[in-house]
Amino acid sequence: MKINFTMIKPKDHILVIFGASGDLTYRKLVPAVFDLFLQNLLPDNFAVLGLGRTHISNDEFRKKMIEGIKLFSSFKNTPLETINKFADLLFYYTFNTLNQDDYKNLKNELFKLNSTQNTKENFIYYLATPPSMYEIIPKYLSGNGLNNESNGFKRLIIEKPFGYDLETAKHLNKALQNHFNEEQIYRIDHYLGKETVQNLLVTRFSNGIFEPLWNRNYIHHIEVTSSENIGVGNRGGYYEGSGALRDMVQNHLLLLAGLIAMEPPVIIDSINIRNEIVKVFQSIRPIKENEVENFVIRGQYTESVIKGKLIPGYRNEQGVDPDSRTETFVALKFFIDNWRWAGVPFYIRTGKMLPTRVTEIVIYFKPTPHHLFASDKTITGQYNKLVIRIQPDEGLLLKFGMKEPGAGFKVQEVNMDFHYTELSDTYLPSAYERLLLDCMLGDSTLYHRGDAVEAAWTFVDPILKAWKNNPDIKVHGYPAGTWGPDITDELIEGNNLTWRYPCKNLTNDDTYCEL
Ligand code: BG6
């Protein structure tokens, strides 16, 4: 495997993780930091300070993190001796986030570690806690001067969900900005850390063939699908208060639409890329509360038998209300009212317990103006499609018509495809690895800015309100293991057009997908 060693190393610092006894730290954060360590991308002087309510010693914390590294690092088979060397950089401090007085002790602890590790008073605070702590921690940090950058940087990483609706997101932005400057705040969306999501920019802006076609003159419509073949697992409690619209659309999927629809930035930097994304969000035509049913379909998975196994419905999942109306599936249509996209429908679909795990974008190009060949009139043959596969089997697929060999002129749809695995000697960093490194380097390009988060909520808010205020809007049941409610196809404008039904392999579609 070829690893891309960059010469730029972050400045010496301590990564302080609030919520260090949680799952995110164990599965994602510490394994990602370990992967950076192995690639020699951490600064010479560095430490992780884990904070949590659970009373455990440094050694116990290290032991648990080593277990996580062995399971979730990209380099699982690293010799224990090397893992132990990394574990020496991990420290734990028992801490009650809600107790204001504890922050004084935290400050002492942090400065003690800062002098033993020589980390120049540079601190990154990662909030891997429940969202109810997002206001409290920055407030108490700043109350103890731990936001002050006169002697070193102080950065704050906030996990999603960023707010519960527009009002709470605005409130949270304001509360954070009372204590930290916008430049110090890093709102993480792990989709932006995915290599294939970043590749959207390269595909669009480094290839002369795509950009001239990338507009209302040549594109008929655009589809974004993110399906999962698992249910809510042990996250029922969280998911009940969230649902698919908040969990996936407001952040990850609107972001994908933003990257597909944005204008070329003047230069590739944090300000310009993020400006262009915000402009897209601000141009999305609002869906009014009274028209939600025409633009949005919500569904919830019901019990079904898959391969002889009984799969419980959402309402029977742990932590879920037996009468729940929370959506585990959502499909919506919207328009971007600007010069490039006027009149082009965008469709987004996401759900749990669908047939397969896939995230992809499909660009449907307009058909030729006149059909010369009989078979050219079939629905699938008419639209050239560019499929941008985010995961799994990452790659690009172009579908177009070719002459079937033999007599006559029969057109057959064929594939031209590129799979990332073909670059097999290149190491693809995990999303958290990439994003953590960026924050360490002070690069916020791949993090959300406050105004973008609010613009995305502005679009989503009326839909949430309509669902809340109007219980007559249907929640359609769909059997676990199917592609959501039947009527989802009715959203798509155009003669007999349907969604693409993808498989886990990029080039297979409309065939049986394994659950
Ligand atoms: C998270 C959601 O943000 O993204 C989860 O909270 C979802 O519900 C996950 O499963 C999907 O991420 P990925 O990287 O597996 O597509």
Side-chain angles (χ1 to χ4, degrees):
M1 202 184 309
K2 193 165 78 198
I3 296 174
N4 212 354
F5 287 100
T6 115
M7 293 313 290
I8 315 167
K9 270 194 175 199
K11 289 186 182 154
D12 300 336
H13 70 274
I14 299 176
L15 173 64
V16 185
I17 304 180
F18 290 80
S21 37
D23 232 28
L24 185 70
T25 308
Y26 171 73
R27 287 167 171 267
K28 300 281 185 191
L29 302 183
V30 169
V33 178
F34 173 72
D35 293 347
L36 292 173
F37 168 80
L38 274 193
Q39 294 164 77
N40 202 19
L41 291 171
L42 291 179
D44 298 335
N45 299 313
F46 174 79
V48 172
L49 178 62
L51 307 175
R53 285 172 87 142
T54 324
H55 285 270
I56 49 170
S57 64
N58 270 348
D59 279 349
E60 283 165 315
F61 180 61
R62 288 175 183 172
K63 219 165 126 201
K64 183 161 177 227
M65 294 303 118
I66 290 174
E67 195 187 292
I69 289 168
K70 286 186 185 157
L71 288 171
F72 303 109
S73 152
S74 304
F75 306 95
K76 294 184 184 62
N77 300 323
T78 308
L80 192 58
E81 202 189 329
T82 313
I83 305 184
N84 282 337
K85 221 166 127 199
F86 168 75
D88 288 346
L89 304 173
L90 306 179
F91 301 85
Y92 184 84
Y93 180 64
T94 308
F95 179 73
N96 180 359
T97 331
L98 292 172
N99 185 353
Q100 190 170 358
D101 295 337
D102 261 12
Y103 286 76
K104 282 196 196 79
N105 305 334
L106 169 64
K107 187 171 180 179
N108 289 339
E109 192 67 23
L110 197 50
F111 276 82
K112 231 165 49 197
L113 193 60
N114 175 63
S115 29
T116 55
Q117 303 297 113
N118 194 17
T119 44
K120 325 276 184 328
E121 290 186 35
N122 293 319
F123 307 140
I124 296 179
Y125 311 111
Y126 198 117
L127 308 197
T129 61
S132 52
M133 306 292 164
Y134 290 175
E135 280 189 37
I136 296 165
I137 298 171
K139 184 171 150 199
Y140 290 159
L141 285 174
S142 101
N144 285 280
L146 287 168
N147 58 345
N148 187 329
E149 294 202 289
S150 44
N151 285 327
F153 67 69
K154 309 285 177 297
R155 298 179 186 142
L156 188 68
I157 305 184
I158 312 258
E159 266 293 331
K160 71 169 263 266
F162 195 87
Y164 185 72
D165 54 18
L166 179 59
E167 202 189 317
T168 49
K170 276 186 173 167
H171 180 85
L172 180 56
N173 265 336
K174 218 162 145 227
L176 292 177
Q177 286 159 353
N178 279 339
H179 305 294
F180 283 78
N181 296 326
E182 179 63 27
E183 296 71 48
Q184 294 175 278
I185 305 170
Y186 290 69
R187 298 172 192 79
I188 200 163
D189 178 333
H190 78 281
Y191 264 56
L192 259 174
K194 290 183 193 269
E195 194 68 24
T196 40
V197 170
Q198 292 153 34
N199 189 41
L200 281 172
L201 295 178
V202 177
T203 305
R204 283 193 57 195
F205 302 130
S206 76
N207 292 299
I209 58 166
F210 295 128
E211 201 46 29
L213 306 180
W214 215 262
N215 56 55
R216 63 186 303 274
N217 297 322
Y218 299 99
I219 291 179
H220 184 268
H221 69 274
I222 292 178
E223 221 179 87
V224 180
T225 290
S226 181
S227 67
E228 292 181 271
N229 57 358
I230 48 168
V232 291
N234 56 11
R235 295 170 75 222
Y238 150 78
Y239 201 85
E240 261 297 85
S242 165
L245 192 65
R246 287 190 178 93
D247 188 48
M248 291 294 289
V249 177
Q250 185 275 334
N251 34 66
H252 309 323
L253 301 185
L254 281 181
L255 169 75
L256 293 184
L259 291 170
I260 285 291
M262 69 192 260
E263 294 301 315
V266 180
I267 43 169
I268 291 284
D269 71 1
S270 170
I271 293 178
N272 285 284
I273 292 184
R274 302 200 303 177
N275 279 350
E276 296 306 334
I277 294 177
V278 173
K279 283 190 215 161
V280 174
F281 290 171
Q282 289 168 340
S283 326
I284 300 180
R285 190 189 304 164
I287 298 175
K288 298 194 190 86
E289 261 189 76
N290 62 1
E291 52 183 26
V292 161
E293 270 190 295
N294 304 333
F295 286 89
V296 190
I297 290 167
R298 56 173 168 169
Q300 190 186 81
Y301 61 84
T302 55
E303 182 180 282
S304 86
V305 175
I306 300 171
K307 287 189 178 166
K309 201 172 152 213
L310 185 72
I311 306 291
Y314 174 69
R315 291 179 180 182
N316 297 327
E317 299 275 20
Q318 187 195 327
V320 171
D321 178 348
D323 295 320
S324 170
R325 289 175 66 78
T326 299
E327 79 289 356
T328 59
F329 174 95
V330 65
L332 62 141
K333 169 168 82 176
F334 63 89
F335 291 90
I336 296 175
D337 285 338
N338 66 14
W339 199 271
R340 186 186 284 264
W341 296 113
V344 178
F346 280 70
Y347 301 97
I348 283 181
R349 166 181 67 162
T350 183
K352 303 264 182 210
M353 272 295 175
L354 301 185
T356 192
R357 175 176 181 254
V358 163
T359 302
E360 67 174 27
I361 296 150
V362 191
I363 316 287
Y364 288 75
F365 291 96
K366 287 185 176 170
T368 53
H370 177 59
H371 304 298
L372 288 174
F373 313 107
S375 49
D376 187 18
K377 293 194 183 102
T378 61
I379 293 296
T380 36
Q382 283 180 21
Y383 298 86
N384 292 142
K385 295 176 209 89
L386 179 68
V387 181
I388 305 172
R389 179 60 77 91
I390 307 295
Q391 63 193 18
D393 195 8
E394 295 84 353
L396 279 188
L397 172 70
L398 185 64
K399 287 181 166 282
F400 56 101
M402 288 289 272
K403 182 181 176 303
E404 244 183 53
F409 285 96
K410 204 158 176 237
V411 184
Q412 181 190 340
E413 189 177 64
V414 295
N415 292 332
M416 198 154 81
D417 53 318
F418 157 75
H419 303 252
Y420 254 89
T421 46
E422 285 161 25
L423 306 175
S424 57
D425 64 342
T426 306
Y427 169 68
L428 287 186
S430 73
Y432 277 96
E433 184 186 331
R434 169 68 202 258
L435 293 173
L436 277 169
L437 180 62
D438 279 5
C439 176
M440 292 174 179
L441 291 166
D443 181 351
S444 56
T445 312
L446 299 179
Y447 285 84
H448 280 304
R449 212 167 56 191
D451 53 351
V453 174
E454 288 182 18
W457 276 119
T458 304
F459 171 65
V460 163
D461 223 36
I463 307 174
L464 292 169
K465 285 206 174 103
W467 285 349
K468 189 169 164 217
N469 298 338
N470 189 348
D472 291 342
I473 299 180
K474 290 189 184 112
V475 181
H476 299 269
Y478 62 95
T482 64
W483 276 106
D486 285 356
I487 59 155
T488 310
D489 274 338
E490 288 173 20
L491 264 188
I492 311 262
E493 289 180 16
N495 272 346
N496 296 324
L497 276 174
T498 65
W499 295 82
R500 180 175 126 89
Y501 290 100
C503 283
K504 64 181 177 191
N505 305 103
L506 172 62
T507 47
N508 300 349
D509 47 21
D510 301 325
T511 52
Y512 175 70
C513 292
E514 260 197 347
L515 195 79

